[in-house]
Amino acid sequence: MGEQQNGRLTVIDDAGRVQEVSLGAMRGDRFFWGRDAEKCEVMTSSNIISRVHGKFKLTPRGLLYADLGSTNGTYIENASGSHFLRKNQQYACLKDGDMLRVQPPDQKAGGSVLLLYTEHMQKGKWQRHALGASRISIGRGKENDIVLSHMGVSRRHALLEKAGDGYVISDCGSANGLLLNGRILYGKQALKDKDVIRILNSVFLFTNGGIFYKGSLQGVNLRVRGMNKTVGKGKQILHDVNFDIESNEFVAIIGGSGAGKSTLMNAISGFDKKREGMVLFNGIPMDENFSVLKSLIGYVPQEDIIYENLTLQRMLSYTAKLKMPKDMSKEEADRRIQDVLAMVELSEQKDTYIRKLSGGQKKRASIAVELLADPSLFFLDEPTSGLDPGTEKKLMGTLSRLSKSQGKTVIMVTHTTQSLDLCDKVIFMGQGGRVCFCGSCNEAKMFFDTDSLVDIYNKMAEKPDEWAAQYANCVPPEPVGLGGGGTAPNKKKSSGIRQFGILTMRYAELMKNDLPRLLLLFLQPVLIGLLLGVVADGRVFEIYESTKSILFALSCAGIWIGLFNSIQEICKERVILKREYMGNLKLWSYALSKFAVQILVGAAQSAVMTGVFAFAVGLPERGILLKAGFPEMFVTVWLTVTASMALGFILSALVRSGDKAMACAPFVLIIQLLFSGILFELKGLGRKIAYATVSKWSVESLGSIAGLNSLTMKLQEEIPNMEHEFQEIFEFSKRHLLTHWGVLAAMAAFCGIVTTVLLRNVAKDGR
């Protein structure tokens, strides 16, 4: 009977009585279900059920069921739909969460009998809530009729309302949704007798006699079937991968470089859908229900997903606001944070800046970030990379403990063989993405006929195809199932405005805590303003050439400051962005939060630089819009900094490292210099390119404010009767200035849109 010994059949008859049968109590691999107690091991006292209704067969790869020509027949139901089983039909393979339903021909004559198959024993007993009330609420809040404690459950998650002789269920705008008979519920739907409702890790059975429900502290069991992935021009990097991972198991995926370890993890985690094959999450197809199931999935990439300039407590606080339902109170969030810190043994470091933590502590902090949402399935990519042997063993112990004591199924990718004895199961991957073995370490040594896990690496490297074929021959064939599929639903919506507020506060705090960089940001405009005063010849705003040159330098300074402010801000936290994007982060909220903070920082820098410039160099005697020139100079410099900052964000979204971003900065600056229209007279293509530069619109705005057309040229001092040619680009008028300001603002907005679009590529990182 193998692993099926842990399975359970839960039967609810038409009178609302609940009966639970452990498959481990069965004496043989075949047993019967029916009304006759003498002939049936699973006896259900109901006239709907025939004396011997059907039979079960336990196999190493699944539980099989066949109807024995019963009067009312048997329906098998799952996320793929409902299928009627007939006499002498081939065995149907039951998966975790599948239901057998028996109902009379006339459904109005009475209720139905439901049999729910679960592959793993759940802790606790079924609880019953009586029907009768006009409204029955389900949620996390204590004011609900049925209270669930999971962190992902909204304060009021779902509502049952009486409608005539029955009830209607609706989702109360919950953060993580619910499943009705294996399908995501949208809007309202009338409930039928023996309907199955799933809210995260809780199962509800609706009957005419009441609602039966049970929460599970178990992890997730995962079934992977026929997993293939092809990239490029037909290169296959995963080859027909099949394996099972049981609830609360700690599993390692190991293999040499290029064996497809991380590729496999991305594929089975549900975040990479560009592959073939099926993943069953507790018997539910993951792809079709990912928008609901992903709240139960934690994912820790190889790089740390934490901000070093926040304390551990503050980091977890912001993450809680982003991940948990918006109705989560501060007290609830703080309590969950303390519980998570205790799980990863970091309670004493909660007020420590993350940059001061050790490598092992940072890795555990990344794990804590994912644990906040209380996932049941946990993925980690190379969590022990770069750790010393002692720290590595401690981390492996933490992961093993999480799988057993906290109800998690933990799957990690690693290339080391140390501490693998702590794992319940190891998946050995050979070159080309082939599974060469799946089982315990001792079973692996027997399979490969060696006492060393290191030798297994060498053997797999020599003949990966042969080992994969040999393992496939040892695995029993997959029983026939019902098939199915379905279309993937839309993602559940989350509030982008709320995310924008949280992200903005987090980014502002990150900048505030990075004092050395903050000092540099505000030291630059001071020094630049003073240096401009040093090179100015004392006749600025009197002589045309002197004024034009110093204004060009001021514009270039604003462009440099804007680029420097933003060019590394996205790429340096790309790993964190990808993980948050996988968890429903709105990219426009993220981009807008960056812009909002940087616009304020740029305003402060512009005020400082314009003020120092006014002190060291001077200002025009009057402005175009106002009597004083300072406000207009400040706005122009601010718009220059803002537009350049927006351009820097585009570069930061394009590249994946700060070094590459900084390497692009000189090229961008050179373009601004060449096509500003100040150093060279532009014609043809050059003139068209200039329209797309910040420098052109910035210099022309500054020149208009300074009234360059009215200033004396040096040649005019030597030739008194020489006329100063009027230049339209420096026209001293409100229309001209406001138009140029509008262009700079439009440039910044356009760059913001482009940045958001480019950020979509973050989902492809690491593939």
Side-chain angles (χ1 to χ4, degrees):
M1 298 191 323
E3 62 193 37
Q4 297 302 326
Q5 291 180 352
N6 292 326
R8 173 177 291 192
L9 300 175
T10 302
V11 185
I12 301 182
D13 64 21
D14 50 340
R17 295 183 292 262
V18 179
Q19 173 191 9
E20 290 195 323
V21 179
S22 170
L23 299 186
M26 297 299 161
R27 296 181 180 179
D29 61 356
R30 288 177 174 83
F31 57 95
F32 295 87
W33 176 36
R35 199 175 69 245
D36 192 331
E38 295 182 0
K39 297 181 179 180
C40 300
E41 288 82 357
V42 181
M43 195 277 290
T44 302
S45 180
S46 170
N47 292 330
I48 298 175
I49 302 295
S50 297
R51 294 178 65 84
V52 181
H53 199 97
K55 65 178 178 179
F56 294 92
K57 181 179 179 181
L58 288 163
T59 71
R61 298 292 288 176
L63 176 66
L64 309 183
Y65 174 80
D67 188 273
L68 297 178
S70 63
T71 302
N72 292 317
T74 310
Y75 287 89
I76 180 170
E77 300 177 356
N78 54 29
S80 301
S82 178
H83 181 74
F84 186 68
L85 300 178
R86 293 178 174 83
K87 182 181 179 181
N88 299 325
Q89 192 174 27
Q90 187 178 12
Y91 272 112
C93 179
L94 298 182
K95 297 298 183 184
D96 188 33
D98 282 358
M99 296 168 285
L100 300 178
R101 186 187 301 273
V102 182
Q103 57 192 33
D106 182 5
Q107 296 186 33
K108 296 182 180 179
S112 60
V113 174
L114 182 77
L115 184 149
L116 174 66
Y117 169 56
T118 51
E119 292 186 354
H120 301 276
M121 302 288 280
Q122 293 182 322
K123 297 179 181 180
K125 296 181 179 180
W126 286 95
Q127 300 182 64
R128 180 179 180 274
H129 185 86
L131 297 178
S134 59
R135 295 160 63 93
I136 301 173
S137 60
I138 304 172
R140 193 185 70 253
K142 294 181 179 180
E143 67 276 8
N144 291 284
D145 300 295
I146 299 177
V147 179
L148 306 178
S149 59
H150 194 283
M151 290 295 105
V153 176
S154 296
R155 183 168 295 278
R156 173 165 286 193
H157 200 102
L159 185 66
L160 277 68
E161 297 177 282
K162 200 164 188 178
D165 295 332
Y167 279 84
V168 172
I169 187 172
S170 59
D171 186 335
C172 299
S174 65
N176 294 310
L178 61 88
L179 298 175
L180 178 61
N181 296 326
R183 296 177 179 273
I184 298 174
L185 175 68
Y186 294 104
K188 295 184 177 182
Q189 187 164 328
L191 289 172
K192 305 186 302 295
D193 185 48
K194 306 305 186 301
D195 273 349
V196 179
I197 305 160
R198 294 177 184 266
I199 297 178
L200 296 181
N201 64 340
S202 296
V203 179
F204 296 77
L205 299 176
F206 178 82
T207 74
N208 293 332
I211 303 170
F212 295 86
Y213 62 98
K214 177 191 287 190
S216 171
L217 295 177
Q218 302 279 358
V220 169
N221 63 78
L222 217 57
R223 302 285 178 263
V224 179
R225 297 290 180 267
M227 188 65 65
N228 291 280
K229 184 174 175 66
T230 303
V231 296
K233 297 181 179 179
K235 181 182 179 182
Q236 193 167 354
I237 57 176
L238 287 179
H239 281 76
D240 195 28
V241 175
N242 300 276
F243 58 83
D244 295 341
I245 294 174
E246 304 307 323
S247 175
N248 291 54
E249 282 192 333
F250 179 27
V251 181
I253 303 174
I254 73 168
S257 298
K261 303 184 298 295
S262 295
T263 301
L264 176 61
M265 191 179 73
N266 286 329
I268 66 177
S269 66
F271 295 109
D272 179 9
K273 295 182 175 59
K274 294 184 178 180
R275 39 73 174 163
E276 300 174 355
M278 179 175 64
V279 181
L280 294 176
F281 182 108
N282 277 347
I284 301 171
M286 182 182 286
D287 290 347
E288 289 87 337
N289 301 287
F290 187 69
S291 63
V292 170
L293 297 178
K294 72 177 179 179
S295 58
L296 292 173
I297 300 174
Y299 186 102
V300 180
Q302 185 172 352
E303 298 88 348
D304 293 328
I305 50 174
I306 44 182
Y307 288 101
E308 297 210 338
N309 286 318
L310 292 176
T311 64
L312 183 53
Q313 174 83 24
R314 294 297 294 162
M315 175 70 210
L316 294 177
S317 177
Y318 282 117
T319 304
K321 291 176 182 178
L322 287 172
K323 285 192 171 188
M324 293 183 179
K326 61 183 179 181
D327 56 17
M328 180 76 67
S329 68
K330 186 179 184 303
E331 291 73 21
E332 288 177 302
D334 289 343
R335 188 162 54 249
R336 178 61 184 170
I337 289 171
Q338 302 314 314
D339 291 343
V340 166
L341 288 173
M343 290 180 199
V344 297
E345 300 178 343
L346 287 176
S347 298
E348 295 182 0
Q349 288 79 27
K350 67 176 183 178
D351 295 321
T352 303
Y353 279 98
I354 292 173
R355 62 176 179 265
K356 296 181 179 180
L357 298 177
S358 66
Q361 289 173 330
K362 287 181 180 178
K363 186 59 65 177
R364 280 185 281 150
S366 293
I367 293 172
V369 166
E370 290 299 301
L371 284 176
L372 279 175
D374 198 13
S376 300
L377 180 60
F378 212 66
F379 292 95
L380 302 101
D381 191 0
E382 299 277 8
T384 60
S385 178
L387 301 181
D388 62 81
T391 305
E392 182 261 352
K393 186 173 183 179
K394 186 174 182 179
L395 179 61
M396 290 287 284
T398 299
L399 296 175
S400 179
R401 187 175 63 256
L402 284 174
S403 69
K404 300 300 181 291
S405 64
Q406 298 298 326
K408 313 292 179 193
T409 298
V410 180
I411 304 172
M412 61 172 281
V413 166
T414 183
H415 63 277
T416 65
T417 57
Q418 300 178 62
S419 306
L420 285 182
D421 57 305
L422 294 173
C423 297
D424 301 295
K425 191 175 288 181
V426 181
I427 299 173
F428 292 86
M429 297 292 295
Q431 289 297 316
R434 295 175 171 85
V435 175
C436 295
F437 185 77
C438 178
S440 68
C441 286
N442 289 333
E443 291 171 340
K445 292 175 182 177
M446 293 174 61
F447 179 81
F448 288 99
D449 192 23
T450 179
D451 293 329
S452 171
L453 292 175
V454 177
D455 288 343
I456 296 178
Y457 268 95
N458 298 329
K459 290 189 175 187
M460 284 195 305
E462 293 173 0
K463 301 176 181 180
D465 296 359
E466 292 183 14
W467 287 111
Q470 184 175 334
Y471 172 67
N473 291 332
C474 298
V475 178
E478 180 71 14
V480 177
L482 295 179
T487 57
N490 296 325
K491 290 184 178 180
K492 200 162 182 68
K493 295 182 179 180
S494 56
S495 173
I497 296 176
R498 178 172 177 268
Q499 288 183 358
F500 165 70
I502 297 168
L503 294 170
T504 301
M505 293 298 294
R506 184 178 71 181
Y507 186 37
E509 185 170 346
L510 281 167
M511 294 199 70
K512 176 181 71 69
N513 291 343
D514 193 356
L515 292 178
R517 184 169 184 273
L518 201 61
L519 180 62
L520 181 60
L521 289 179
F522 284 97
L523 187 60
Q524 280 188 107
V526 174
L527 294 177
I528 289 172
L530 293 174
L531 291 174
L532 289 175
V534 172
V535 299
D537 62 5
R539 305 189 70 186
V540 176
F541 302 116
E542 295 178 8
I543 299 298
Y544 174 84
E545 290 83 357
S546 300
T547 307
K548 186 178 178 181
S549 297
I550 206 70
L551 293 179
F552 175 62
L554 180 62
S555 173
C556 290
I559 294 170
W560 163 251
I561 287 175
L563 279 174
F564 182 79
N565 284 357
S566 62
I567 201 167
Q568 291 183 303
E569 292 303 282
I570 293 176
C571 54
K572 71 181 182 182
E573 56 189 49
R574 196 173 177 96
V575 175
I576 303 175
L577 171 61
K578 179 182 179 180
R579 179 61 194 102
E580 293 180 339
Y581 180 50
M582 289 160 64
N584 260 1
L585 176 73
K586 303 292 186 184
L587 292 177
W588 68 263
S589 299
Y590 175 83
L592 192 60
S593 71
K594 295 288 186 187
F595 272 72
V597 175
Q598 286 292 347
I599 286 173
L600 293 177
V601 171
Q605 290 174 306
S606 300
V608 171
M609 187 162 68
T610 306
V612 175
F613 181 85
F615 169 77
V617 179
L619 288 174
E621 292 182 0
R622 64 187 182 90
I624 299 175
L625 304 175
L626 302 171
K627 293 182 179 180
F630 181 87
E632 293 170 14
M633 293 284 287
F634 159 71
V635 171
T636 303
V637 172
W638 183 20
L639 289 172
T640 302
V641 171
T642 300
S644 304
M645 169 270 293
L647 185 60
F649 275 132
I650 289 182
L651 294 174
S652 194
L654 273 172
V655 301
R656 298 187 181 184
S657 70
D659 293 340
K660 291 180 180 178
M662 290 305 295
C664 297
F667 179 71
V668 175
L669 286 171
I670 288 173
I671 291 178
Q672 301 297 326
L673 294 173
L674 293 178
F675 296 97
S676 63
I678 300 300
L679 299 179
F680 306 100
E681 184 179 355
L682 301 176
K683 297 179 180 179
L685 180 61
R687 189 172 183 177
K688 293 179 181 179
I689 294 175
Y691 281 100
T693 63
V694 176
S695 56
K696 167 185 167 58
W697 304 98
S698 174
V699 171
E700 291 181 7
S701 297
L702 292 172
S704 298
I705 297 168
L708 284 179
N709 284 326
S710 64
L711 299 183
T712 303
M713 300 180 66
K714 289 183 179 179
L715 285 176
Q716 286 181 302
E717 293 181 332
E718 300 174 3
I719 308 174
N721 295 326
M722 179 181 178
E723 293 184 1
H724 181 182
E725 182 181 352
F726 178 81
Q727 293 180 283
E728 292 184 359
I729 61 174
F730 299 131
E731 179 184 340
F732 189 84
S733 70
K734 294 181 180 179
R735 179 191 59 80
H736 185 265
L737 179 61
L738 292 176
T739 299
H740 280 59
W741 282 358
V743 171
L744 288 171
M747 279 185 171
F750 176 76
C751 289
I753 295 171
V754 173
T755 298
T756 304
V757 173
L758 290 174
L759 286 178
R760 293 184 178 274
N761 292 326
V762 76
K764 301 177 183 178
D765 288 0
R767 294 185 188 174

